[in-house]
Amino acid sequence: MSTEINANLLKNFIIKTIGGNKLTETNAQKYGIDEGKYVEANKDENTYLELDEIIADSDLYEQFATMYVEDKEEKASVADKEKEKEEQAKVQEKSESGV
């Protein structure tokens, strides 16, 4: 997967995903972030990583970028399915009105 995602878009996604601009180790595990990668990125050894620390760490950036791409693909898939249902409903309405 490509990690060529605009940093501002990724920051907004991270904030929306984790519910703020700080990532705790517990939340990192909740989102499937490797514990070793979290510890490695936590250079100042706080109880959390700030948004800029997440973006600065290439491994965490890549993991969140992957989550971002998967989220966009999932939303596109849901939208496609809804559009397909609407089209099927229109076809069915036309066929029923023609009977």
Side-chain angles (χ1 to χ4, degrees):
M1 296 223 168
S2 172
T3 57
E4 298 299 320
I5 296 172
N6 178 298
N8 287 328
L9 286 176
L10 191 59
K11 283 180 179 181
N12 289 336
F13 173 76
I14 292 170
I15 289 169
K16 184 181 110 191
T17 302
I18 65 176
N21 62 353
K22 295 179 177 151
L23 178 67
T24 64
E25 190 169 357
T26 304
N27 278 346
Q29 291 173 349
K30 175 180 168 185
Y31 296 110
I33 305 297
D34 181 87
E35 184 177 350
K37 304 288 185 200
Y38 177 90
V39 171
E40 206 174 283
N42 194 3
K43 300 199 184 329
D44 56 8
E45 298 180 3
N46 286 340
T47 57
Y48 56 84
L49 287 176
E50 292 182 14
L51 190 56
D52 289 335
E53 291 175 297
I54 296 168
I55 297 296
D57 186 83
S58 62
D59 289 329
L60 293 179
Y61 184 98
E62 184 176 343
Q63 288 186 10
F64 276 104
T66 300
M67 289 169 55
Y68 174 81
V69 169
E70 288 172 350
D71 184 62
K72 281 191 75 152
E73 289 173 350
E74 182 180 320
K75 286 179 181 175
S77 176
V78 168
D80 287 345
K81 287 178 183 176
E82 287 179 15
K83 187 176 180 179
E84 186 177 319
K85 283 181 183 178
E86 287 175 11
E87 289 174 3
Q88 287 176 351
K90 285 179 185 178
V91 168
Q92 187 174 0
E93 284 176 18
K94 285 182 181 180
S95 66
E96 288 176 356
S97 65
V99 173

